Amino acid sequence: MTNVRLSLGASRGVAFLFGCHYNVRVKQFVPGPTAKLRRHWQLTPGVAFLNHGSFGACPTAILQLQAELRRQMEAEPVQFLWRHYEERLEPARQELARFAGAKSRDLVFITNATAGVNAVVRSLKLRRGDELLTTNQNYNACHNVLVEATRRVGARLVVANVPFPLRSANEITEAVLQAVSRRTRLAMIDHVTSNTALVFPIRQIIRELDARGVDTLVDGAHAPGMLPLNLRELGAAYYAANLHKWVCAPKGAAFLWAREDKQAELQPAVISHGNNRPRTGFTPFQDRFDWTGTFDPTAWFCVGEAIRFMGSLLPGGWRELYRRNRQLAVKARRLLCQRLGVEPPCPESLLGSMATIPLPERFQDRSTSGKIDPEQLALYDRFGIEVPFMRFGDPERRWLRISGQLHNSPADYTRLGDALCELP
Ligand SMILES: Cc1ncc(COP(=O)(O)O)c(C=O)c1O
């Protein structure tokens, strides 16, 4: 193990102010058999990176493009951020529209899925007694947006209880529909859940909710790049999603799609010039979201190239990538369930390129107090494996979630199985 002392580099003054250095312990892991395509990523050699789901990982080629765009931005800040802004933004939006099966006029970039959920929910004109609907498998940050919006006006948050483990997609749809009432104004439903890694039958849920007069906001944080999308056909009222996860765009690239009849009332989480500065050739919806104050838009400008690049890595393009990543996760789950002696908690048909696996009883009675479970830390520190542990359910249980991306190989999951068996 080497101990690397990092000062804050160019920001020495800051380091001095706080009177400290960051101590980063970088362990040298022996690389096992790696995926051929891993060379496109900058992942630390020897680390089995089985948590693509949390923050994604951006390939070198895209980071190089972003570095060049940043160079141009700092060479000519006003030309880049103001005069020629739309010339770089618009092609990226067009590429995204083709990729996601949308009209580009219905799409805006945002910096993350949380910002999209905030924009939609905080633009609703909720009244006392109204209900917002979601599920117990939603993402905590987005759940909090609903809590706050309902609390302010005396509206009610109704949480549908989707079981996990579960046997079929119908259990999901039924749980959601049972929670609808005449007062339901909007349902926020995940496309792919974070804790349980389920691909919800989102098309069916949207259709059934629509038939009951309820709009759906889809939290699609994990979906683009994991599943083929056709937003026009899906028929949701709103769809918010990340591009930094499975499309592998730089961090800060995400989008919000809104059906045309919903756009007039939508305001971004941060209001800026767009409300009274219309631009020729853009919709008022785009005017409001395209600029929400000075920021670094280079992640957005890289989206078209990220879509092209990821789609070029396998001969069968995106279709093969979806299939390959899903197969990797499905096979890894089979292997790990067998190694750990646990039952798979859902049918394979509900998996995308992630899978959540129950941890055996010997892991269940451990107390945890820190931000990250000690076993998760040990897997990284002792075995060079990055994989998330989570706690959820009632009663609370501990689970493990794996991801499969092109930088992963089957050997990564064998290594995880071996390490889990070795953990005390
Ligand atoms: C289902 C789901 N929704 C929303 C988010 C929030 O994403 P972000 O932090 O990029 O806004 C996540 C993040 O992992 C997620 O898994």
Side-chain angles (χ1 to χ4, degrees):
M1 174 153 337
T2 38
N3 222 342
V4 180
R5 239 167 123 68
L6 283 184
S7 78
L8 286 181
S11 343
R12 279 235 182 93
V14 180
F16 173 73
L17 260 182
F18 289 100
C20 67
H21 288 79
Y22 286 117
N23 271 313
V24 179
R25 287 162 75 78
V26 177
K27 192 166 177 169
Q28 308 287 305
F29 296 108
V30 184
T34 53
K36 239 173 51 200
L37 293 170
R38 186 175 164 127
R39 69 181 191 280
H40 293 293
W41 275 266
Q42 307 202 339
L43 296 165
T44 300
V47 171
F49 188 65
L50 300 179
N51 187 8
H52 192 91
S54 282
F55 303 114
C58 190
T60 307
I62 307 305
L63 291 173
Q64 283 169 345
L65 171 64
Q66 186 178 34
E68 169 54 20
L69 288 166
R70 282 184 167 146
R71 190 198 62 72
Q72 293 174 18
M73 176 167 69
E74 295 309 331
E76 302 244 40
V78 178
Q79 299 289 316
F80 191 93
L81 287 171
W82 207 248
R83 183 165 166 197
H84 296 297
Y85 181 67
E86 284 80 7
E87 291 166 29
R88 291 187 174 90
L89 182 68
E90 210 37 38
R93 178 160 34 216
Q94 305 274 351
E95 287 280 344
L96 175 62
R98 269 192 291 279
F99 180 71
K103 283 193 272 182
S104 72
R105 57 180 289 121
D106 300 333
L107 268 179
V108 288
F109 285 110
I110 49 178
T111 49
N112 51 55
T114 311
V117 168
N118 267 277
V120 172
V121 174
R122 294 165 77 179
S123 296
L124 294 174
K125 295 194 172 62
L126 281 183
R127 275 182 290 211
R128 175 174 293 280
D130 283 346
E131 289 177 5
L132 294 183
L133 170 59
T134 188
T135 80
N136 58 333
Q137 297 195 15
N138 68 8
Y139 187 72
N140 179 59
C142 301
H143 180 86
N144 285 343
V145 182
L146 303 183
V147 169
E148 183 57 18
T150 46
R151 188 193 63 79
R152 280 183 176 205
V153 296
R156 201 159 85 87
L157 177 57
V158 177
V159 180
N161 194 19
V162 177
F164 192 77
L166 81 176
R167 294 228 174 93
S168 79
N170 283 343
E171 292 178 56
I172 304 169
T173 312
E174 278 165 20
V176 171
L177 297 182
Q178 268 174 21
V180 174
S181 85
R182 281 190 305 118
R183 299 182 156 229
T184 313
R185 290 282 316 281
L186 177 90
M188 183 188 78
I189 309 290
D190 292 33
H191 195 164
V192 182
T193 58
S194 176
N195 277 342
T196 52
L198 293 174
V199 179
F200 273 12
I202 198 69
R203 184 186 297 265
Q204 188 193 6
I205 293 174
I206 292 169
R207 206 180 314 125
E208 295 291 342
L209 286 173
D210 204 39
R212 289 159 178 77
V214 177
D215 283 339
T216 307
L217 157 61
V218 181
D219 176 353
H222 281 280
M226 182 191 289
L227 310 163
L229 278 185
N230 191 327
L231 294 177
R232 234 179 319 198
E233 279 183 10
L234 200 58
Y238 314 92
Y239 195 105
N242 281 327
L243 297 164
H244 68 253
K245 290 183 190 277
W246 296 93
V247 173
C248 295
K251 315 282 178 275
F255 72 82
L256 175 63
W257 176 93
R259 211 170 58 207
E260 198 170 347
D261 59 302
K262 298 292 168 192
Q263 293 171 10
E265 292 296 316
L266 258 184
Q267 289 283 348
V270 175
I271 293 171
S272 180
H273 293 296
N275 280 5
N276 61 354
R277 294 276 159 81
R279 297 162 302 169
T280 314
F282 294 88
T283 67
F285 170 52
Q286 293 175 329
D287 287 335
R288 290 194 295 274
F289 280 80
D290 283 359
W291 187 263
T292 57
T294 306
F295 78 123
D296 178 351
T298 54
W300 296 1
F301 297 169
C302 289
V303 163
E305 196 47 39
I307 292 170
R308 258 190 309 278
F309 179 78
M310 290 300 290
S312 74
L313 291 178
L314 296 174
W318 273 101
R319 283 201 169 278
E320 190 179 345
L321 187 151
Y322 298 136
R323 206 173 38 241
R324 186 225 177 249
N325 285 349
R326 182 172 176 280
Q327 273 306 103
L328 200 57
V330 166
K331 286 189 179 159
R333 188 180 80 149
R334 282 183 207 154
L335 173 115
L336 288 164
C337 284
Q338 198 187 18
R339 290 293 306 269
L340 297 172
V342 294
E343 283 299 310
C346 70
E348 288 179 356
S349 58
L350 293 180
L351 296 181
S353 43
M354 299 194 295
T356 290
I357 295 165
L359 284 163
E361 286 309 316
R362 68 189 174 87
F363 286 99
Q364 294 300 341
D365 55 356
R366 317 275 173 95
S367 66
T368 53
S369 50
K371 188 171 167 184
I372 304 180
D373 280 8
E375 291 81 5
Q376 180 178 346
L377 294 175
L379 281 175
Y380 185 81
D381 290 340
R382 283 183 52 201
F383 301 97
I385 299 169
E386 184 71 83
V387 71
F389 275 41
M390 42 261 274
R391 292 171 170 263
F392 59 84
D394 188 14
E396 195 177 73
R397 306 273 300 168
R398 297 179 77 201
W399 309 76
L400 172 80
R401 189 188 73 190
I402 50 163
S403 293
Q405 181 51 288
L406 295 182
H407 50 71
N408 293 121
S409 73
D412 291 339
Y413 308 94
T414 312
R415 195 167 136 192
L416 172 61
D418 291 345
L420 285 167
C421 292
E422 262 194 59
L423 276 185

